[in-house]
Structure formats: structure tokens, C-alpha cells
Amino acid sequence: DTGVSQDPRHKITKRGQNVTFRCDPISEHNRLYWYRQTLGQGPEFLTYFQNEAQLEKSRLLSDRFSAERPKGSFSTLEIQRTEQGDSAMYLCASSLIPGYEQYFGPGTRLTVT
Amino acid sequence: KNQVEQSPQSLIILEGKNCTLQCNYTVSPFSNLRWYKQDTGRGPVSLTIMTFSENTKSNGRYTATLDADTKQSSLHITASQLSDSASYICVVIRDSNYQLIWGAGTKLIIKP
């Protein structure tokens, strides 16, 4: 399977704990995007990388959120001191060229109790 | 303000029937418009991509139309199947920075 993969698929954590998600994009794709999606809404942009450089961060990405793509391949999204409002589906997508088709992973469903 | 609005919010139809989903946008400058299908608990999957000059594009039983003058798009599903049950999201890409502007989606339920 050469699609975008995400791990874990589901995560349940207690409020105040830290969580880290991983995304493996399609291998030749330079751009990697993170989105958050809540029930009944379309995905909301969080941040994106061009290779290893983080080029844009949404205002939604508070100080508790950090994303990395250290070698321009896989990426991690960490949420510190989780809050119940962080409960959502976290989607990763990758594309070959800016403006071209974004291919989405299956998402990580986070539930903060 | 750059926005994408979809209607209806939800739709229930019987298997075998046709349906049409609507998307209106106020995004500028316009690059292209995409329809995605998202199954529950899964990531979105692209159905069609339409540029400014394209009026109609088909993908199997899915046909998308685009009227760039009125800034409207529709997705028509023919002979619906149970597997068509999903959310259908309209996305408009801005030409200036390739920003994706997402609609909230239409939740389609196909009943046997």
C-alpha cells in the first residue's frame, strides 16, 4: 500500500496528558498537511510542510500543538496537556506539488476524557 | 470572505434513486474545485477536480458541474448504491496560495 498512513487510528487519553500522532506520506510527495475535523464539519487546516520546513501554521494551532517533519519524510503532531476540546479526527494529507491533489490518510481519532 | 456553503446539510434517499448536492462558493481568486467523499471514520477521497474552464466532469456514477459565473457547483449521483452513504465535501482552492477552503459537507444516507 503506497497511500498515506497514520498511526494510531484511535487514541483515548485523559485530560492533561500528552499525545503524539504519526503520519507517513506518499514517498515522493514533498508537501504534508495536518488537518483537524470535528463531527459534521469539514477539515480545518492546522499546518503544512514543504519537505522538512514548516511553512504555515493556522491560528488554530495553539502553543500546546507542535508538528515536526525532521527528515522531510514522516511527520509527527504532538498535543501537550490535552483538553476535552481537542477531541477530534486528525487528518494528514500529502501532495506532490503545491495546488495539486492532496491524498488523505485514514485519520487518527482522538478522544480526551 | 472566502467561504464554501453546501446544501442540503443531510439527505436520505432510497437505493437506486438519483440525487444532486449543491455547493456555492465565494472564494477568490479561484484555482479549482474538488468534490471529496468521506466515509465515516475515514479520510476524504477525491471524486472530481474541476478547473475554471470545465463545466462538467464525470467519475462513474458521479457527475460534477461547475458554473464559474455564478460560483456554483453540483454533484449528481446516479442510481445510488448503499455504499454511496457518506459525507460529500466541496473544496475550493485559491489560486494565490493554494489554500483549501472546505465546505461543511452533505451527509448522504442511502436506504435499502
PDB file of all heavy atoms in Angstrom, chain A residues 9 31 35 37 40-44 89 91 98-102 104-107 109, chain B residues 32 34 36 38 41-46 49 89 93 97-98 100 102-105:
ATOM      1  N   ARG A   9      -4.735   4.788  14.871  1.00  0.00           N
ATOM      2  CA  ARG A   9      -6.026   5.119  14.279  1.00  0.00           C
ATOM      3  C   ARG A   9      -6.966   5.703  15.320  1.00  0.00           C
ATOM      4  O   ARG A   9      -7.799   6.553  15.001  1.00  0.00           O
ATOM      5  CB  ARG A   9      -6.657   3.880  13.652  1.00  0.00           C
ATOM      6  CG  ARG A   9      -5.908   3.332  12.456  1.00  0.00           C
ATOM      7  CD  ARG A   9      -5.981   4.279  11.264  1.00  0.00           C
ATOM      8  NE  ARG A   9      -7.341   4.711  10.989  1.00  0.00           N
ATOM      9  CZ  ARG A   9      -8.214   3.990  10.306  1.00  0.00           C
ATOM     10  NH1 ARG A   9      -7.872   2.818   9.814  1.00  0.00           N
ATOM     11  NH2 ARG A   9      -9.446   4.450  10.109  1.00  0.00           N
ATOM     12  N   ARG A  31       4.951  17.843  -0.060  1.00  0.00           N
ATOM     13  CA  ARG A  31       4.111  18.602   0.874  1.00  0.00           C
ATOM     14  C   ARG A  31       3.334  17.657   1.775  1.00  0.00           C
ATOM     15  O   ARG A  31       2.810  16.635   1.345  1.00  0.00           O
ATOM     16  CB  ARG A  31       3.153  19.496   0.105  1.00  0.00           C
ATOM     17  CG  ARG A  31       3.845  20.698  -0.497  1.00  0.00           C
ATOM     18  CD  ARG A  31       2.978  21.913  -0.455  1.00  0.00           C
ATOM     19  NE  ARG A  31       3.743  23.120  -0.741  1.00  0.00           N
ATOM     20  CZ  ARG A  31       3.244  24.336  -0.737  1.00  0.00           C
ATOM     21  NH1 ARG A  31       1.968  24.509  -0.481  1.00  0.00           N
ATOM     22  NH2 ARG A  31       4.020  25.376  -0.991  1.00  0.00           N
ATOM     23  N   TYR A  35      -4.676  18.401   9.322  1.00  0.00           N
ATOM     24  CA  TYR A  35      -5.999  18.993   9.474  1.00  0.00           C
ATOM     25  C   TYR A  35      -6.657  18.429  10.727  1.00  0.00           C
ATOM     26  O   TYR A  35      -6.337  17.325  11.177  1.00  0.00           O
ATOM     27  CB  TYR A  35      -6.917  18.649   8.291  1.00  0.00           C
ATOM     28  CG  TYR A  35      -6.505  19.227   6.964  1.00  0.00           C
ATOM     29  CD1 TYR A  35      -5.615  18.560   6.133  1.00  0.00           C
ATOM     30  CD2 TYR A  35      -7.036  20.434   6.526  1.00  0.00           C
ATOM     31  CE1 TYR A  35      -5.258  19.079   4.903  1.00  0.00           C
ATOM     32  CE2 TYR A  35      -6.693  20.964   5.286  1.00  0.00           C
ATOM     33  CZ  TYR A  35      -5.796  20.272   4.485  1.00  0.00           C
ATOM     34  OH  TYR A  35      -5.456  20.792   3.266  1.00  0.00           O
ATOM     35  N   GLN A  37     -10.621  17.692  12.173  1.00  0.00           N
ATOM     36  CA  GLN A  37     -12.017  17.643  11.754  1.00  0.00           C
ATOM     37  C   GLN A  37     -12.905  17.224  12.914  1.00  0.00           C
ATOM     38  O   GLN A  37     -12.676  16.191  13.542  1.00  0.00           O
ATOM     39  CB  GLN A  37     -12.202  16.661  10.598  1.00  0.00           C
ATOM     40  CG  GLN A  37     -13.593  16.652  10.007  1.00  0.00           C
ATOM     41  CD  GLN A  37     -13.724  15.721   8.820  1.00  0.00           C
ATOM     42  OE1 GLN A  37     -12.981  14.754   8.705  1.00  0.00           O
ATOM     43  NE2 GLN A  37     -14.667  16.017   7.926  1.00  0.00           N
ATOM     44  N   GLY A  40     -19.401  16.550  11.769  1.00  0.00           N
ATOM     45  CA  GLY A  40     -20.317  17.360  10.977  1.00  0.00           C
ATOM     46  C   GLY A  40     -19.685  18.554  10.304  1.00  0.00           C
ATOM     47  O   GLY A  40     -20.391  19.382   9.710  1.00  0.00           O
ATOM     48  N   GLN A  41     -18.374  18.661  10.398  1.00  0.00           N
ATOM     49  CA  GLN A  41     -17.671  19.783   9.786  1.00  0.00           C
ATOM     50  C   GLN A  41     -16.630  19.287   8.793  1.00  0.00           C
ATOM     51  O   GLN A  41     -16.177  18.149   8.863  1.00  0.00           O
ATOM     52  CB  GLN A  41     -16.971  20.622  10.856  1.00  0.00           C
ATOM     53  CG  GLN A  41     -17.913  21.244  11.867  1.00  0.00           C
ATOM     54  CD  GLN A  41     -18.852  22.240  11.232  1.00  0.00           C
ATOM     55  OE1 GLN A  41     -18.472  23.053  10.401  1.00  0.00           O
ATOM     56  NE2 GLN A  41     -20.119  22.164  11.604  1.00  0.00           N
ATOM     57  N   GLY A  42     -16.254  20.169   7.881  1.00  0.00           N
ATOM     58  CA  GLY A  42     -15.147  19.851   7.002  1.00  0.00           C
ATOM     59  C   GLY A  42     -13.830  19.984   7.747  1.00  0.00           C
ATOM     60  O   GLY A  42     -13.771  20.570   8.830  1.00  0.00           O
ATOM     61  N   PRO A  43     -12.758  19.442   7.201  1.00  0.00           N
ATOM     62  CA  PRO A  43     -11.447  19.560   7.847  1.00  0.00           C
ATOM     63  C   PRO A  43     -10.998  21.013   7.989  1.00  0.00           C
ATOM     64  O   PRO A  43     -11.258  21.830   7.107  1.00  0.00           O
ATOM     65  CB  PRO A  43     -10.526  18.799   6.881  1.00  0.00           C
ATOM     66  CG  PRO A  43     -11.426  17.864   6.146  1.00  0.00           C
ATOM     67  CD  PRO A  43     -12.713  18.598   6.001  1.00  0.00           C
ATOM     68  N   GLU A  44     -10.337  21.319   9.098  1.00  0.00           N
ATOM     69  CA  GLU A  44      -9.767  22.645   9.327  1.00  0.00           C
ATOM     70  C   GLU A  44      -8.255  22.531   9.224  1.00  0.00           C
ATOM     71  O   GLU A  44      -7.638  21.677   9.857  1.00  0.00           O
ATOM     72  CB  GLU A  44     -10.129  23.159  10.722  1.00  0.00           C
ATOM     73  CG  GLU A  44     -11.616  23.333  10.966  1.00  0.00           C
ATOM     74  CD  GLU A  44     -11.881  23.658  12.423  1.00  0.00           C
ATOM     75  OE1 GLU A  44     -11.659  22.778  13.281  1.00  0.00           O
ATOM     76  OE2 GLU A  44     -12.302  24.798  12.701  1.00  0.00           O
ATOM     77  N   MET A  89     -10.985  14.314  14.908  1.00  0.00           N
ATOM     78  CA  MET A  89     -10.232  13.464  13.986  1.00  0.00           C
ATOM     79  C   MET A  89      -9.089  14.312  13.452  1.00  0.00           C
ATOM     80  O   MET A  89      -9.302  15.437  12.989  1.00  0.00           O
ATOM     81  CB  MET A  89     -11.127  13.015  12.829  1.00  0.00           C
ATOM     82  CG  MET A  89     -10.386  12.262  11.736  1.00  0.00           C
ATOM     83  SD  MET A  89     -10.062  10.569  12.186  1.00  0.00           S
ATOM     84  CE  MET A  89     -11.593   9.817  11.629  1.00  0.00           C
ATOM     85  N   LEU A  91      -6.374  14.574  10.634  1.00  0.00           N
ATOM     86  CA  LEU A  91      -6.105  14.046   9.301  1.00  0.00           C
ATOM     87  C   LEU A  91      -4.773  14.558   8.783  1.00  0.00           C
ATOM     88  O   LEU A  91      -4.421  15.718   8.982  1.00  0.00           O
ATOM     89  CB  LEU A  91      -7.210  14.470   8.327  1.00  0.00           C
ATOM     90  CG  LEU A  91      -8.592  13.884   8.558  1.00  0.00           C
ATOM     91  CD1 LEU A  91      -9.622  14.676   7.760  1.00  0.00           C
ATOM     92  CD2 LEU A  91      -8.625  12.428   8.150  1.00  0.00           C
ATOM     93  N   PRO A  98       2.528  21.919  -4.900  1.00  0.00           N
ATOM     94  CA  PRO A  98       1.502  22.820  -4.375  1.00  0.00           C
ATOM     95  C   PRO A  98       0.337  22.975  -5.340  1.00  0.00           C
ATOM     96  O   PRO A  98       0.546  23.150  -6.537  1.00  0.00           O
ATOM     97  CB  PRO A  98       2.257  24.147  -4.219  1.00  0.00           C
ATOM     98  CG  PRO A  98       3.667  23.747  -4.065  1.00  0.00           C
ATOM     99  CD  PRO A  98       3.874  22.511  -4.870  1.00  0.00           C
ATOM    100  N   GLY A  99      -0.878  22.900  -4.812  1.00  0.00           N
ATOM    101  CA  GLY A  99      -2.065  23.074  -5.626  1.00  0.00           C
ATOM    102  C   GLY A  99      -2.556  21.802  -6.274  1.00  0.00           C
ATOM    103  O   GLY A  99      -3.640  21.766  -6.837  1.00  0.00           O
ATOM    104  N   TYR A 100      -1.759  20.772  -6.226  1.00  0.00           N
ATOM    105  CA  TYR A 100      -2.172  19.505  -6.804  1.00  0.00           C
ATOM    106  C   TYR A 100      -2.950  18.687  -5.783  1.00  0.00           C
ATOM    107  O   TYR A 100      -3.064  19.051  -4.626  1.00  0.00           O
ATOM    108  CB  TYR A 100      -0.953  18.715  -7.306  1.00  0.00           C
ATOM    109  CG  TYR A 100      -0.598  19.025  -8.744  1.00  0.00           C
ATOM    110  CD1 TYR A 100      -0.377  20.328  -9.142  1.00  0.00           C
ATOM    111  CD2 TYR A 100      -0.473  18.023  -9.694  1.00  0.00           C
ATOM    112  CE1 TYR A 100      -0.049  20.644 -10.448  1.00  0.00           C
ATOM    113  CE2 TYR A 100      -0.146  18.317 -11.013  1.00  0.00           C
ATOM    114  CZ  TYR A 100       0.059  19.628 -11.390  1.00  0.00           C
ATOM    115  OH  TYR A 100       0.380  19.906 -12.687  1.00  0.00           O
ATOM    116  N   GLU A 101      -3.453  17.573  -6.262  1.00  0.00           N
ATOM    117  CA  GLU A 101      -4.296  16.697  -5.459  1.00  0.00           C
ATOM    118  C   GLU A 101      -3.641  16.361  -4.129  1.00  0.00           C
ATOM    119  O   GLU A 101      -2.461  16.025  -4.069  1.00  0.00           O
ATOM    120  CB  GLU A 101      -4.544  15.396  -6.226  1.00  0.00           C
ATOM    121  CG  GLU A 101      -5.418  14.397  -5.503  1.00  0.00           C
ATOM    122  CD  GLU A 101      -6.826  14.901  -5.366  1.00  0.00           C
ATOM    123  OE1 GLU A 101      -7.478  15.089  -6.400  1.00  0.00           O
ATOM    124  OE2 GLU A 101      -7.278  15.112  -4.223  1.00  0.00           O
ATOM    125  N   GLN A 102      -4.424  16.497  -3.044  1.00  0.00           N
ATOM    126  CA  GLN A 102      -3.974  16.066  -1.733  1.00  0.00           C
ATOM    127  C   GLN A 102      -4.581  14.698  -1.452  1.00  0.00           C
ATOM    128  O   GLN A 102      -5.781  14.506  -1.609  1.00  0.00           O
ATOM    129  CB  GLN A 102      -4.407  17.055  -0.656  1.00  0.00           C
ATOM    130  CG  GLN A 102      -3.687  18.386  -0.724  1.00  0.00           C
ATOM    131  CD  GLN A 102      -4.015  19.282   0.464  1.00  0.00           C
ATOM    132  OE1 GLN A 102      -4.544  18.847   1.475  1.00  0.00           O
ATOM    133  NE2 GLN A 102      -3.673  20.555   0.337  1.00  0.00           N
ATOM    134  N   PHE A 104      -5.339  11.882   1.331  1.00  0.00           N
ATOM    135  CA  PHE A 104      -5.543  11.840   2.768  1.00  0.00           C
ATOM    136  C   PHE A 104      -5.287  10.463   3.348  1.00  0.00           C
ATOM    137  O   PHE A 104      -5.551   9.430   2.724  1.00  0.00           O
ATOM    138  CB  PHE A 104      -6.969  12.261   3.113  1.00  0.00           C
ATOM    139  CG  PHE A 104      -7.192  13.737   3.010  1.00  0.00           C
ATOM    140  CD1 PHE A 104      -7.457  14.333   1.791  1.00  0.00           C
ATOM    141  CD2 PHE A 104      -7.113  14.536   4.140  1.00  0.00           C
ATOM    142  CE1 PHE A 104      -7.644  15.700   1.695  1.00  0.00           C
ATOM    143  CE2 PHE A 104      -7.303  15.900   4.051  1.00  0.00           C
ATOM    144  CZ  PHE A 104      -7.566  16.485   2.828  1.00  0.00           C
ATOM    145  N   GLY A 105      -4.798  10.477   4.580  1.00  0.00           N
ATOM    146  CA  GLY A 105      -4.703   9.267   5.361  1.00  0.00           C
ATOM    147  C   GLY A 105      -6.032   8.963   6.016  1.00  0.00           C
ATOM    148  O   GLY A 105      -6.980   9.738   5.911  1.00  0.00           O
ATOM    149  N   PRO A 106      -6.110   7.848   6.731  1.00  0.00           N
ATOM    150  CA  PRO A 106      -7.369   7.440   7.356  1.00  0.00           C
ATOM    151  C   PRO A 106      -7.719   8.245   8.594  1.00  0.00           C
ATOM    152  O   PRO A 106      -8.845   8.188   9.075  1.00  0.00           O
ATOM    153  CB  PRO A 106      -7.123   5.978   7.718  1.00  0.00           C
ATOM    154  CG  PRO A 106      -5.647   5.894   7.904  1.00  0.00           C
ATOM    155  CD  PRO A 106      -5.047   6.841   6.913  1.00  0.00           C
ATOM    156  N   GLY A 107      -6.766   9.015   9.107  1.00  0.00           N
ATOM    157  CA  GLY A 107      -7.032   9.842  10.272  1.00  0.00           C
ATOM    158  C   GLY A 107      -6.736   9.138  11.584  1.00  0.00           C
ATOM    159  O   GLY A 107      -6.679   7.906  11.670  1.00  0.00           O
ATOM    160  N   ARG A 109      -8.359   9.269  15.352  1.00  0.00           N
ATOM    161  CA  ARG A 109      -9.478   9.764  16.165  1.00  0.00           C
ATOM    162  C   ARG A 109      -9.012   9.906  17.597  1.00  0.00           C
ATOM    163  O   ARG A 109      -8.638   8.936  18.226  1.00  0.00           O
ATOM    164  CB  ARG A 109     -10.641   8.790  16.083  1.00  0.00           C
ATOM    165  CG  ARG A 109     -11.747   9.000  17.111  1.00  0.00           C
ATOM    166  CD  ARG A 109     -12.585  10.207  16.800  1.00  0.00           C
ATOM    167  NE  ARG A 109     -13.355  10.056  15.568  1.00  0.00           N
ATOM    168  CZ  ARG A 109     -14.046  11.042  15.010  1.00  0.00           C
ATOM    169  NH1 ARG A 109     -14.052  12.236  15.545  1.00  0.00           N
ATOM    170  NH2 ARG A 109     -14.721  10.819  13.911  1.00  0.00           N
TER     171      ARG A 109
ATOM    172  N   ASN B  32      -9.278  25.831  -8.511  1.00  0.00           N
ATOM    173  CA  ASN B  32     -10.077  24.684  -8.912  1.00  0.00           C
ATOM    174  C   ASN B  32     -11.016  24.276  -7.790  1.00  0.00           C
ATOM    175  O   ASN B  32     -10.897  24.755  -6.665  1.00  0.00           O
ATOM    176  CB  ASN B  32      -9.190  23.514  -9.360  1.00  0.00           C
ATOM    177  CG  ASN B  32      -8.257  23.043  -8.268  1.00  0.00           C
ATOM    178  OD1 ASN B  32      -8.636  22.299  -7.369  1.00  0.00           O
ATOM    179  ND2 ASN B  32      -6.996  23.484  -8.331  1.00  0.00           N
ATOM    180  N   ARG B  34     -13.035  20.893  -5.988  1.00  0.00           N
ATOM    181  CA  ARG B  34     -12.974  19.445  -5.824  1.00  0.00           C
ATOM    182  C   ARG B  34     -14.148  18.954  -4.994  1.00  0.00           C
ATOM    183  O   ARG B  34     -14.597  19.635  -4.078  1.00  0.00           O
ATOM    184  CB  ARG B  34     -11.662  19.039  -5.148  1.00  0.00           C
ATOM    185  CG  ARG B  34     -10.449  19.547  -5.877  1.00  0.00           C
ATOM    186  CD  ARG B  34      -9.178  19.359  -5.111  1.00  0.00           C
ATOM    187  NE  ARG B  34      -8.063  20.022  -5.790  1.00  0.00           N
ATOM    188  CZ  ARG B  34      -6.817  20.026  -5.333  1.00  0.00           C
ATOM    189  NH1 ARG B  34      -6.518  19.409  -4.202  1.00  0.00           N
ATOM    190  NH2 ARG B  34      -5.875  20.654  -6.004  1.00  0.00           N
ATOM    191  N   TYR B  36     -15.044  15.711  -2.582  1.00  0.00           N
ATOM    192  CA  TYR B  36     -14.483  14.579  -1.869  1.00  0.00           C
ATOM    193  C   TYR B  36     -15.624  13.752  -1.285  1.00  0.00           C
ATOM    194  O   TYR B  36     -16.652  14.285  -0.862  1.00  0.00           O
ATOM    195  CB  TYR B  36     -13.591  15.036  -0.705  1.00  0.00           C
ATOM    196  CG  TYR B  36     -12.217  15.519  -1.090  1.00  0.00           C
ATOM    197  CD1 TYR B  36     -11.991  16.846  -1.428  1.00  0.00           C
ATOM    198  CD2 TYR B  36     -11.127  14.649  -1.091  1.00  0.00           C
ATOM    199  CE1 TYR B  36     -10.721  17.288  -1.775  1.00  0.00           C
ATOM    200  CE2 TYR B  36      -9.856  15.081  -1.418  1.00  0.00           C
ATOM    201  CZ  TYR B  36      -9.659  16.410  -1.758  1.00  0.00           C
ATOM    202  OH  TYR B  36      -8.407  16.843  -2.092  1.00  0.00           O
ATOM    203  N   GLN B  38     -16.263  11.203   1.909  1.00  0.00           N
ATOM    204  CA  GLN B  38     -15.655  10.781   3.168  1.00  0.00           C
ATOM    205  C   GLN B  38     -16.565   9.799   3.877  1.00  0.00           C
ATOM    206  O   GLN B  38     -17.650  10.160   4.326  1.00  0.00           O
ATOM    207  CB  GLN B  38     -15.357  11.982   4.079  1.00  0.00           C
ATOM    208  CG  GLN B  38     -14.591  11.598   5.340  1.00  0.00           C
ATOM    209  CD  GLN B  38     -14.167  12.794   6.171  1.00  0.00           C
ATOM    210  OE1 GLN B  38     -14.763  13.862   6.086  1.00  0.00           O
ATOM    211  NE2 GLN B  38     -13.135  12.630   6.981  1.00  0.00           N
ATOM    212  N   GLY B  41     -15.421   7.892   9.722  1.00  0.00           N
ATOM    213  CA  GLY B  41     -14.192   7.437  10.356  1.00  0.00           C
ATOM    214  C   GLY B  41     -13.020   7.265   9.413  1.00  0.00           C
ATOM    215  O   GLY B  41     -11.996   6.692   9.801  1.00  0.00           O
ATOM    216  N   ARG B  42     -13.141   7.771   8.201  1.00  0.00           N
ATOM    217  CA  ARG B  42     -12.061   7.644   7.214  1.00  0.00           C
ATOM    218  C   ARG B  42     -11.654   9.029   6.709  1.00  0.00           C
ATOM    219  O   ARG B  42     -12.365  10.015   6.895  1.00  0.00           O
ATOM    220  CB  ARG B  42     -12.517   6.786   6.030  1.00  0.00           C
ATOM    221  CG  ARG B  42     -13.102   5.449   6.407  1.00  0.00           C
ATOM    222  CD  ARG B  42     -12.054   4.490   6.899  1.00  0.00           C
ATOM    223  NE  ARG B  42     -11.075   4.164   5.877  1.00  0.00           N
ATOM    224  CZ  ARG B  42     -10.080   3.307   6.054  1.00  0.00           C
ATOM    225  NH1 ARG B  42      -9.931   2.726   7.221  1.00  0.00           N
ATOM    226  NH2 ARG B  42      -9.230   3.054   5.088  1.00  0.00           N
ATOM    227  N   GLY B  43     -10.513   9.076   6.032  1.00  0.00           N
ATOM    228  CA  GLY B  43     -10.091  10.322   5.411  1.00  0.00           C
ATOM    229  C   GLY B  43     -10.849  10.566   4.111  1.00  0.00           C
ATOM    230  O   GLY B  43     -11.374   9.639   3.497  1.00  0.00           O
ATOM    231  N   PRO B  44     -10.920  11.821   3.661  1.00  0.00           N
ATOM    232  CA  PRO B  44     -11.616  12.142   2.402  1.00  0.00           C
ATOM    233  C   PRO B  44     -10.901  11.533   1.197  1.00  0.00           C
ATOM    234  O   PRO B  44      -9.674  11.445   1.166  1.00  0.00           O
ATOM    235  CB  PRO B  44     -11.564  13.669   2.343  1.00  0.00           C
ATOM    236  CG  PRO B  44     -11.215  14.120   3.727  1.00  0.00           C
ATOM    237  CD  PRO B  44     -10.398  13.023   4.319  1.00  0.00           C
ATOM    238  N   VAL B  45     -11.689  11.141   0.207  1.00  0.00           N
ATOM    239  CA  VAL B  45     -11.158  10.604  -1.047  1.00  0.00           C
ATOM    240  C   VAL B  45     -11.688  11.447  -2.185  1.00  0.00           C
ATOM    241  O   VAL B  45     -12.887  11.716  -2.259  1.00  0.00           O
ATOM    242  CB  VAL B  45     -11.572   9.131  -1.235  1.00  0.00           C
ATOM    243  CG1 VAL B  45     -11.123   8.630  -2.602  1.00  0.00           C
ATOM    244  CG2 VAL B  45     -10.987   8.260  -0.131  1.00  0.00           C
ATOM    245  N   SER B  46     -10.799  11.871  -3.072  1.00  0.00           N
ATOM    246  CA  SER B  46     -11.195  12.763  -4.159  1.00  0.00           C
ATOM    247  C   SER B  46     -12.080  12.064  -5.181  1.00  0.00           C
ATOM    248  O   SER B  46     -11.818  10.927  -5.583  1.00  0.00           O
ATOM    249  CB  SER B  46      -9.943  13.301  -4.854  1.00  0.00           C
ATOM    250  OG  SER B  46     -10.293  14.131  -5.939  1.00  0.00           O
ATOM    251  N   ILE B  49     -11.998  16.806  -9.823  1.00  0.00           N
ATOM    252  CA  ILE B  49     -11.313  18.097  -9.754  1.00  0.00           C
ATOM    253  C   ILE B  49     -11.713  18.885 -10.995  1.00  0.00           C
ATOM    254  O   ILE B  49     -11.611  18.359 -12.112  1.00  0.00           O
ATOM    255  CB  ILE B  49      -9.783  17.935  -9.728  1.00  0.00           C
ATOM    256  CG1 ILE B  49      -9.344  17.108  -8.526  1.00  0.00           C
ATOM    257  CG2 ILE B  49      -9.106  19.303  -9.698  1.00  0.00           C
ATOM    258  CD1 ILE B  49      -7.848  16.827  -8.523  1.00  0.00           C
ATOM    259  N   ILE B  89     -17.971  16.387   0.470  1.00  0.00           N
ATOM    260  CA  ILE B  89     -17.428  17.697   0.823  1.00  0.00           C
ATOM    261  C   ILE B  89     -16.946  18.409  -0.425  1.00  0.00           C
ATOM    262  O   ILE B  89     -16.226  17.831  -1.246  1.00  0.00           O
ATOM    263  CB  ILE B  89     -16.265  17.570   1.831  1.00  0.00           C
ATOM    264  CG1 ILE B  89     -16.684  16.702   3.023  1.00  0.00           C
ATOM    265  CG2 ILE B  89     -15.841  18.948   2.307  1.00  0.00           C
ATOM    266  CD1 ILE B  89     -15.564  16.448   4.012  1.00  0.00           C
ATOM    267  N   ILE B  93     -10.104  25.664  -4.099  1.00  0.00           N
ATOM    268  CA  ILE B  93      -8.689  26.010  -3.891  1.00  0.00           C
ATOM    269  C   ILE B  93      -8.429  27.411  -4.434  1.00  0.00           C
ATOM    270  O   ILE B  93      -8.767  27.731  -5.579  1.00  0.00           O
ATOM    271  CB  ILE B  93      -7.768  24.988  -4.583  1.00  0.00           C
ATOM    272  CG1 ILE B  93      -7.847  23.647  -3.857  1.00  0.00           C
ATOM    273  CG2 ILE B  93      -6.325  25.458  -4.557  1.00  0.00           C
ATOM    274  CD1 ILE B  93      -9.032  22.786  -4.160  1.00  0.00           C
ATOM    275  N   ASN B  97      -2.534  31.164  -3.121  1.00  0.00           N
ATOM    276  CA  ASN B  97      -1.684  30.459  -2.162  1.00  0.00           C
ATOM    277  C   ASN B  97      -2.036  28.978  -2.023  1.00  0.00           C
ATOM    278  O   ASN B  97      -1.541  28.320  -1.121  1.00  0.00           O
ATOM    279  CB  ASN B  97      -1.774  31.138  -0.786  1.00  0.00           C
ATOM    280  CG  ASN B  97      -3.195  31.177  -0.252  1.00  0.00           C
ATOM    281  OD1 ASN B  97      -4.128  30.676  -0.872  1.00  0.00           O
ATOM    282  ND2 ASN B  97      -3.370  31.784   0.922  1.00  0.00           N
ATOM    283  N   TYR B  98      -2.880  28.483  -2.922  1.00  0.00           N
ATOM    284  CA  TYR B  98      -3.308  27.075  -2.919  1.00  0.00           C
ATOM    285  C   TYR B  98      -3.994  26.680  -1.610  1.00  0.00           C
ATOM    286  O   TYR B  98      -4.018  25.521  -1.254  1.00  0.00           O
ATOM    287  CB  TYR B  98      -2.134  26.140  -3.195  1.00  0.00           C
ATOM    288  CG  TYR B  98      -1.425  26.474  -4.484  1.00  0.00           C
ATOM    289  CD1 TYR B  98      -0.117  26.928  -4.485  1.00  0.00           C
ATOM    290  CD2 TYR B  98      -2.081  26.366  -5.701  1.00  0.00           C
ATOM    291  CE1 TYR B  98       0.523  27.248  -5.662  1.00  0.00           C
ATOM    292  CE2 TYR B  98      -1.442  26.685  -6.890  1.00  0.00           C
ATOM    293  CZ  TYR B  98      -0.135  27.125  -6.857  1.00  0.00           C
ATOM    294  OH  TYR B  98       0.497  27.438  -8.020  1.00  0.00           O
ATOM    295  N   LEU B 100      -6.874  25.593   0.720  1.00  0.00           N
ATOM    296  CA  LEU B 100      -8.109  24.845   0.524  1.00  0.00           C
ATOM    297  C   LEU B 100      -9.190  25.422   1.421  1.00  0.00           C
ATOM    298  O   LEU B 100      -9.004  25.528   2.636  1.00  0.00           O
ATOM    299  CB  LEU B 100      -7.907  23.369   0.876  1.00  0.00           C
ATOM    300  CG  LEU B 100      -7.373  22.439  -0.227  1.00  0.00           C
ATOM    301  CD1 LEU B 100      -5.955  22.824  -0.599  1.00  0.00           C
ATOM    302  CD2 LEU B 100      -7.455  20.999   0.196  1.00  0.00           C
ATOM    303  N   TRP B 102     -12.808  24.618   2.721  1.00  0.00           N
ATOM    304  CA  TRP B 102     -13.663  23.438   2.824  1.00  0.00           C
ATOM    305  C   TRP B 102     -15.101  23.823   3.150  1.00  0.00           C
ATOM    306  O   TRP B 102     -15.351  24.696   3.968  1.00  0.00           O
ATOM    307  CB  TRP B 102     -13.163  22.520   3.936  1.00  0.00           C
ATOM    308  CG  TRP B 102     -11.816  21.926   3.701  1.00  0.00           C
ATOM    309  CD1 TRP B 102     -10.612  22.526   3.885  1.00  0.00           C
ATOM    310  CD2 TRP B 102     -11.542  20.612   3.234  1.00  0.00           C
ATOM    311  NE1 TRP B 102      -9.608  21.658   3.564  1.00  0.00           N
ATOM    312  CE2 TRP B 102     -10.134  20.480   3.167  1.00  0.00           C
ATOM    313  CE3 TRP B 102     -12.342  19.533   2.878  1.00  0.00           C
ATOM    314  CZ2 TRP B 102      -9.520  19.300   2.747  1.00  0.00           C
ATOM    315  CZ3 TRP B 102     -11.733  18.352   2.466  1.00  0.00           C
ATOM    316  CH2 TRP B 102     -10.332  18.257   2.400  1.00  0.00           C
ATOM    317  N   GLY B 103     -16.038  23.116   2.516  1.00  0.00           N
ATOM    318  CA  GLY B 103     -17.423  23.186   2.957  1.00  0.00           C
ATOM    319  C   GLY B 103     -17.624  22.252   4.136  1.00  0.00           C
ATOM    320  O   GLY B 103     -16.732  21.470   4.488  1.00  0.00           O
ATOM    321  N   ALA B 104     -18.792  22.348   4.753  1.00  0.00           N
ATOM    322  CA  ALA B 104     -19.089  21.506   5.914  1.00  0.00           C
ATOM    323  C   ALA B 104     -19.546  20.112   5.498  1.00  0.00           C
ATOM    324  O   ALA B 104     -19.615  19.209   6.329  1.00  0.00           O
ATOM    325  CB  ALA B 104     -20.142  22.169   6.790  1.00  0.00           C
ATOM    326  N   GLY B 105     -19.878  19.946   4.219  1.00  0.00           N
ATOM    327  CA  GLY B 105     -20.272  18.625   3.729  1.00  0.00           C
ATOM    328  C   GLY B 105     -21.770  18.393   3.746  1.00  0.00           C
ATOM    329  O   GLY B 105     -22.517  19.057   4.472  1.00  0.00           O
TER     330      GLY B 105
END
